[in-house]
Amino acid sequence: MMVNWVLRGAVLLWALFFVIVGARGLLDPASYTETFGILVEGPATNTIRADLSAFFLVAAGAAALGALVPGWLRALLVPAALYGTALVGRLFGVASGDPVNTGIIQAMIIEALTVALMIGSWWVLSRPQAAAGSGEASVDTVH
């Protein structure tokens, strides 16, 4: 089905973007300052380099696996869980009185859209095909 290819393509574009964000932060942690407003200095540099880059690279890798490898669709739930947890943390922060600016709102929108894309893609791609001979492998179905 064409929808399946469109979803796989959207997930792969999403993964490419976040591989770039993660790799850029791994090589230059100060890039997280301009992107996220995080002060990167002293020993915190190592933690920011490792933890934020791991978040983005693992999420992107799991999304790419889910989109490309038949039978690994559940890998799409990894970025959904990571970004969903981040969104819940942000909502908790807002409810606790944390300062909010347009960057935080933008991040919350991206996180919500990521959860929707990953869960929606997993849901659609894991459904048995309605018509035989649609070109999709049956190994991509969840029983």
Side-chain angles (χ1 to χ4, degrees):
M1 281 172 52
M2 181 60 99
V3 170
N4 291 12
W5 289 109
V6 170
L7 285 174
R8 290 177 193 277
V11 169
L12 288 172
L13 286 174
W14 179 95
L16 177 63
F17 175 75
F18 282 105
V19 160
I20 292 168
V21 170
R24 189 171 165 220
L26 187 64
L27 298 172
D28 178 21
S31 70
Y32 290 134
T33 298
E34 62 193 57
T35 307
F36 302 108
I38 296 171
L39 185 60
V40 180
E41 61 182 26
T45 302
N46 186 269
T47 299
I48 291 167
R49 176 192 312 269
D51 294 353
L52 282 179
S53 297
F55 179 91
F56 295 120
L57 293 172
V58 168
L65 275 174
L68 292 173
V69 180
W72 280 68
L73 285 172
R74 289 185 181 135
L76 295 172
L77 300 177
V78 172
L82 286 167
Y83 282 77
T85 303
L87 179 58
V88 168
R90 287 188 195 277
L91 292 171
F92 179 80
V94 169
S96 298
D98 290 355
V100 177
N101 61 18
T102 56
I104 299 297
I105 293 168
Q106 179 182 359
M108 291 169 62
I109 292 168
I110 290 169
E111 289 157 358
L113 290 174
T114 292
V115 171
L117 174 64
M118 297 304 156
I119 291 176
S121 296
W122 168 79
W123 179 261
V124 171
L125 295 171
S126 66
R127 299 300 102 197
Q129 298 301 307
S134 65
E136 293 290 321
S138 62
V139 72
D140 252 5
T141 60
V142 174
H143 300 284

